Amino acid sequence: MPMDEKTKTLQEDFEKNFADLELVIGWETGFDRLHATPVFIRQPSELGKLVWNPLCSQNLSGYLAKNLDASIQEDGKKIGICVKGCDSRSLVALIQENFIDRDRLYIVGIPCEGTVDLRRLMHLKPSLENVRKVDIEGDEAVVETDQETLRFPIENVLARKCLRCLYPNPVIYDTMIGTPLKPRISEDKLYSAVEKFDTSDRKQRLAFWKTEFNRCIRCYACRNACPLCVCQDNCIAESRKPKWLTQRDGIREKFLFHMIHGLHLAGRCTECGE
Amino acid sequence: MAFIWPAAVPNAGNEIPTMLIKEKMNQILKDMLDYEAGIDAEAKPPLLTFDPGETGI
């Protein structure tokens, strides 16, 4: 199904079901057509804002556990949410852990051909402007501007998470927009990066992580963006009681913070790339 | 000795590759417990041992 048609079907589906919904969380066009941002819709007249395209990379399920009290049902109305394959896995994880009540959600799943990493796109075409549309056609990303139509091989512009995606189709949904897609990689390739990394010796790996973590400024953006990092103000990285970490910005604290972050996500991380 | 992140995607900015830690965790989980997170809403995650009613979460 073409992208424009998917957007239309998405809007029509929510229009049809809006009487049962108090809120719809989806994506809208940002400050230009090269950016998509989350949108929160409470009026049916605003449903026309909803879009679906390869720029809709943000995982919206993070808003449910952190920003909205989704587990308390009011007036029997539901929250409508748009999810890609990876996003739907985060939803499942949050449902499993009782952070969200499945019955409270109306999930619209969209099989995803991959999202475009704007940094990669802009590197290939720094002068890119007046974009009308970005779409994926087979193995190419097609960018239409007012002046020209550009085509890029997807391996050059897709986000890393999409290049190693095993679940392009939503694993949980009430309505699916479009038809299911085949994954781009086979299961045995999923952890090829880790396998390659493991071939280096311990000293090399330690040196690598020391260098990388030394760049960390402990801004907690990685924690805040993660849909499964749900402790928020009680995060052990900032908590005084228990006090596991100081607020120092030395390599020891940074290293420990990232190890704690990783361990808190063990068995929970759905690799959504946020 | 400089080490190049094997998972690095060209021109995707200069992110700290924290995903590699999570991927390693998931690889271990898959090997040891044959479990993948976020697939089956009815399944009980093997490492889910905390109490969701814990104060402050």
Side-chain angles (χ1 to χ4, degrees):
Chain A
M1 192 188 281
M3 189 185 78
D4 293 342
E5 209 178 305
K6 275 191 181 174
T7 294
K8 203 169 158 232
T9 314
L10 186 68
Q11 292 172 356
E12 285 170 355
D13 186 80
F14 277 122
E15 260 169 45
K16 205 167 61 187
N17 294 291
F18 204 84
D20 300 326
L21 306 175
E22 63 174 273
L23 171 70
V24 170
I25 308 176
W27 303 275
E28 69 173 335
T29 302
F31 61 88
D32 67 7
R33 286 175 190 274
L34 194 54
H35 296 81
T37 57
V39 63
F40 298 83
I41 294 173
R42 293 182 187 273
Q43 301 297 330
S45 55
E46 294 181 339
L47 284 172
K49 286 182 181 176
L50 281 178
V51 295
W52 165 252
N53 59 47
L55 303 168
C56 300
S57 57
Q58 187 172 337
N59 184 349
L60 305 173
S61 58
Y63 290 115
L64 291 174
K66 294 185 187 183
N67 303 58
L68 304 163
D69 201 346
S71 57
I72 300 168
Q73 202 158 350
E74 288 169 30
D75 307 327
K77 289 202 171 186
K78 298 185 177 189
I79 293 173
I81 184 162
C82 303
V83 292
K84 308 182 287 294
C86 50
D87 311 343
S88 72
R89 291 183 61 194
S90 305
L91 268 192
V92 166
L94 290 167
I95 291 167
Q96 283 176 326
E97 297 179 17
N98 294 328
F99 286 110
I100 312 173
D101 181 358
R102 169 70 181 93
D103 298 333
R104 176 93 163 104
L105 300 177
Y106 176 68
I107 306 169
V108 175
I110 309 166
C112 171
E113 291 178 272
T115 59
V116 168
D117 187 328
L118 283 186
R119 295 166 304 185
R120 303 191 76 199
L121 185 61
M122 294 307 286
H123 182 87
L124 291 174
K125 187 76 180 169
S127 60
L128 195 61
E129 57 182 8
N130 301 327
V131 172
R132 278 193 205 152
K133 190 171 140 183
V134 180
D135 201 358
I136 306 275
E137 289 178 11
D139 288 338
E140 284 184 324
V142 183
V143 182
E144 278 179 33
T145 70
D146 285 347
Q147 291 80 29
E148 57 189 335
T149 300
L150 303 158
R151 291 177 177 271
F152 304 92
I154 52 164
E155 61 268 24
N156 292 346
V157 290
L158 282 200
R160 177 175 178 268
K161 64 171 180 176
C162 305
L163 291 170
R164 56 183 294 279
C165 172
L166 264 193
Y167 295 93
N169 305 309
V171 294
I172 189 170
Y173 58 90
D174 294 302
T175 304
M176 194 192 285
I177 307 287
T179 47
L181 301 164
K182 278 188 186 166
R184 290 198 188 275
I185 61 155
S186 58
E187 204 172 337
D188 59 316
K189 299 271 189 339
L190 186 61
Y191 295 115
S192 56
V194 171
E195 283 159 11
K196 196 171 171 191
F197 189 72
D198 280 346
T199 58
S200 57
D201 66 39
R202 260 183 209 194
K203 277 185 183 170
Q204 266 185 323
R205 276 182 274 164
L206 184 62
F208 170 78
W209 286 118
K210 275 184 175 172
T211 310
E212 290 298 323
F213 287 147
N214 215 15
R215 297 195 289 125
C216 169
I217 56 170
R218 278 182 76 183
C219 67
Y220 303 128
C222 58
R223 177 198 71 184
N224 296 349
C226 172
L228 271 296
C229 257
V230 286
C231 301
Q232 293 294 290
D233 290 345
N234 292 282
C235 175
I236 206 159
E238 291 172 291
S239 156
R240 292 287 194 270
K241 197 178 173 183
K243 189 173 180 178
W244 285 88
L245 274 176
T246 72
Q247 300 306 304
R248 282 187 68 239
D249 65 347
I251 183 69
R252 284 170 59 169
E253 283 76 12
K254 293 174 185 177
F255 202 100
L256 190 54
F257 166 68
H258 285 285
M259 287 303 143
I260 291 172
H261 187 182
L263 280 166
H264 277 188
L265 287 165
R268 306 170 69 227
C269 177
T270 58
E271 298 176 30
C272 70
E274 291 289 329
Chain B
M1 179 181 168
F3 189 86
I4 297 167
W5 182 35
V9 170
N11 314 322
N14 201 15
E15 286 179 352
I16 299 170
T18 55
M19 265 309 286
L20 206 55
I21 299 170
K22 283 110 187 179
E23 285 170 28
K24 181 65 189 175
M25 295 282 177
N26 282 352
Q27 187 200 33
I28 294 169
L29 201 76
K30 179 81 179 156
D31 287 349
M32 286 180 69
L33 303 168
D34 194 24
Y35 181 78
E36 273 181 286
I39 303 299
D40 177 6
E42 303 297 318
K44 175 96 176 161
L47 299 180
L48 185 60
T49 56
F50 72 94
D51 175 8
E54 194 177 327
T55 314
I57 292 187

